[in-house]
Amino acid sequence: MAFPSILPEQPGKIIAVHVAFESRAAQRGRRPLKPSYFLKATSSLAESGGGLARPAGTELLAFEGEIALIIGAPAKDVSLEEAWKHVAFVTASNDVGLYDYRAADKGSNTRSKSRDGYTPIGPRLIDAQAIDPKQLRLRTWVNGELVQEGDTSDAEMIFPLAQFVADLSQHLTLETGDIILTGTPAGSTVIVPGDVVEVEVDVPGESSSGRLSSTVVESTADFDPAIGDLPSVDDKQREDAYGDRAAAGLPPLTSSEPDPESSPEL
């Protein structure tokens, strides 16, 4: 798959943050004390206007509107105060996931989030050095309806955007072109073939990424059980994919049932 034409450099890696917005943490019932991450394949990158393939026989494809940071200069052991200087651009992204493979992935998100086309970004870049990173706004629409809205103020973010750059640089070198996906606010849910998802990042009244648009399509699938795990779902995955038990059409938990929120974030 070709790299999106908006990128000035081919990224060597995509690193995604698990939970970063207060609203998402409240929805999940667990608030992280420190950032945590997972890797996505660069082959999952896609342009605006493309399709999000839901393999036949699966049911829990979910969007996550996110702010993407694109590294402009290598960062290794940089301080929090210096970290933002290493970010060249900001744009919109959609951290798409197929929850049917989350349990099999056991936290890596390799199959659930690294499928081809599952990281659309764009359509335009915002100059990171020309903005205040605490004044960004993120919005997501499904079929024209606003379903997610958040901003990067201290009140909304558990961690400032620059912290991800500084923290990651303690453990690995962030190279020019690398992409950091910075978490999603509440409102992520399941999408089905025919749905159109749009994500925009902007500084209100100033600069904008434009609307990143993707359409869900049904794709063929022939997963071979002799080679690897087959997709599967349970109520825990349905609850996480839809956002809560009610949205997933599940009954409330009784006092005798274990709380699925006690399981770790995947």
Side-chain angles (χ1 to χ4, degrees), residues 6-251:
I6 64 163
L7 294 178
E9 300 273 348
Q10 292 189 350
K13 49 190 171 289
I14 304 170
I15 304 172
V17 179
H18 278 117
V19 178
F21 281 83
E22 294 284 5
S23 62
R24 179 72 161 177
Q27 184 181 39
R28 288 295 175 94
R30 48 190 183 271
R31 185 180 188 276
L33 297 177
K34 303 292 183 182
S36 62
Y37 312 94
F38 60 93
L39 289 168
K40 296 190 75 172
T42 57
S43 54
S44 69
L45 285 167
E47 302 264 12
S48 181
L52 301 174
R54 190 187 75 172
T58 63
E59 66 173 270
L60 299 180
L61 182 70
F63 67 87
E64 293 183 11
E66 304 202 6
I67 298 167
L69 310 183
I70 300 175
I71 299 299
K76 176 61 177 173
D77 293 323
V78 300
S79 67
L80 183 59
E81 293 72 25
E82 295 293 313
W84 191 253
K85 295 177 182 178
H86 292 262
V87 181
F89 302 105
V90 173
T91 194
S93 62
N94 189 349
D95 181 17
V96 181
L98 187 65
Y99 280 67
D100 304 61
Y101 265 112
R102 280 222 317 177
D105 278 349
K106 296 179 173 62
S108 73
N109 288 330
T110 301
R111 287 165 289 192
S112 61
K113 292 208 167 197
S114 278
R115 296 182 67 85
D116 289 357
Y118 276 20
T119 314
I121 64 169
R124 296 193 297 272
L125 301 177
I126 299 171
D127 182 353
Q129 299 308 304
I131 63 167
D132 180 343
K134 293 187 177 184
Q135 293 185 349
L136 288 164
R137 175 175 61 175
L138 169 66
R139 292 178 293 173
T140 306
W141 297 261
V142 175
N143 301 327
E145 178 184 355
L146 183 66
V147 293
Q148 285 187 300
E149 185 166 11
D151 62 58
T152 54
S153 65
D154 290 339
E156 293 253 1
M157 297 294 291
I158 301 172
F159 317 103
L161 297 180
Q163 184 171 342
F164 304 133
V165 178
D167 182 27
L168 287 166
S169 81
Q170 298 181 102
H171 307 286
L172 49 87
T173 299
L174 294 170
E175 299 165 314
T176 302
D178 285 352
I179 297 172
I180 303 174
L181 307 182
T182 60
T184 197
S188 165
T189 192
V190 171
I191 43 180
V192 299
D195 284 347
V196 177
V197 184
E198 298 173 291
V199 185
E200 181 182 14
V201 172
D202 68 343
V203 177
E206 297 181 22
S207 50
S208 170
S209 68
R211 289 200 187 187
L212 169 67
S213 179
S214 306
T215 301
V216 183
V217 296
E218 188 87 355
S219 68
T220 59
D222 189 17
F223 300 112
D224 187 343
I227 297 174
D229 282 316
L230 294 176
S232 64
V233 297
D234 56 25
D235 285 352
K236 165 60 177 168
Q237 305 311 328
R238 291 188 178 94
E239 178 179 352
D240 281 353
Y242 279 94
D244 57 52
R245 293 184 66 83
L250 300 171

